[in-house]
Amino acid sequence: MTGHGDEPFITAVKPLVDAMGGEMLPPDEAGPEDVVLAWEGVDVVAVRLPQLADSLDHILAAMERRQGRPLADLDRKAKQEAVRILEARGAFAVRHGVETVASALGVSRFTVYNYLNREKGA
């Protein structure tokens, strides 16, 4: 992107950007919504963060990779735990978040609401 001295910095932040589902681009291509990262006073890289809905898909895919199988194949307790983690990460603040999560877990929206209510009642 820029000079050779910046490569260790870019290498260091890339896993974080990838985990968030972001995209790295040259700082001079940054838009108003992008985050420009500077190193030693020089703008090195811009990070374009995903939209929340894309982020949710990314989070679900990462959970699936960690489990090593589709989320729909998890047992009830594991699905409840997944819903708890997703709620903590703001998944249900996203438009159609409940539907998206229900679909990934292979359960109904009603079941997701039940899992959420069980957490609040505990």
Side-chain angles (χ1 to χ4, degrees), residues 7-58:
E7 284 164 22
F9 177 78
I10 290 170
T11 301
V13 298
K14 187 174 186 331
L16 177 63
V17 174
D18 289 347
M20 293 185 308
E23 177 188 347
M24 296 171 82
L25 49 149
D28 59 351
E29 292 179 21
E33 301 294 312
D34 299 330
V35 179
V36 177
L37 302 178
W39 182 250
E40 296 178 347
V42 178
D43 290 348
V44 176
V45 64
V47 177
R48 181 159 295 156
L49 297 171
Q51 297 302 307
L52 275 173
D54 296 339
S55 225
L56 178 53
D57 290 337
H58 202 78

Side-chain angles (χ1 to χ4, degrees), residues 1-118:
M1 303 214 171
T2 56
H4 295 297
D6 303 330
E7 284 164 22
F9 177 78
I10 290 170
T11 301
V13 298
K14 187 174 186 331
L16 177 63
V17 174
D18 289 347
M20 293 185 308
E23 177 188 347
M24 296 171 82
L25 49 149
D28 59 351
E29 292 179 21
E33 301 294 312
D34 299 330
V35 179
V36 177
L37 302 178
W39 182 250
E40 296 178 347
V42 178
D43 290 348
V44 176
V45 64
V47 177
R48 181 159 295 156
L49 297 171
Q51 297 302 307
L52 275 173
D54 296 339
S55 225
L56 178 53
D57 290 337
H58 202 78
I59 291 166
L60 289 166
M63 287 179 92
E64 216 156 69
R65 278 195 305 276
R66 265 195 305 280
Q67 295 290 338
R69 58 190 165 149
L71 296 177
D73 291 351
L74 299 177
D75 64 25
R76 192 168 63 90
K77 191 169 170 37
K79 287 180 182 182
Q80 288 171 338
E81 174 67 8
V83 166
R84 192 185 61 70
I85 291 166
L86 290 163
E87 183 181 30
R89 295 193 69 178
F92 303 111
V94 178
R95 188 178 152 121
H96 304 302
V98 171
E99 292 86 343
T100 303
V101 170
S103 174
L105 293 176
V107 299
S108 69
R109 288 174 36 218
F110 180 75
T111 298
V112 172
Y113 284 119
N114 273 345
Y115 291 169
L116 287 168
N117 289 334
R118 180 170 289 123

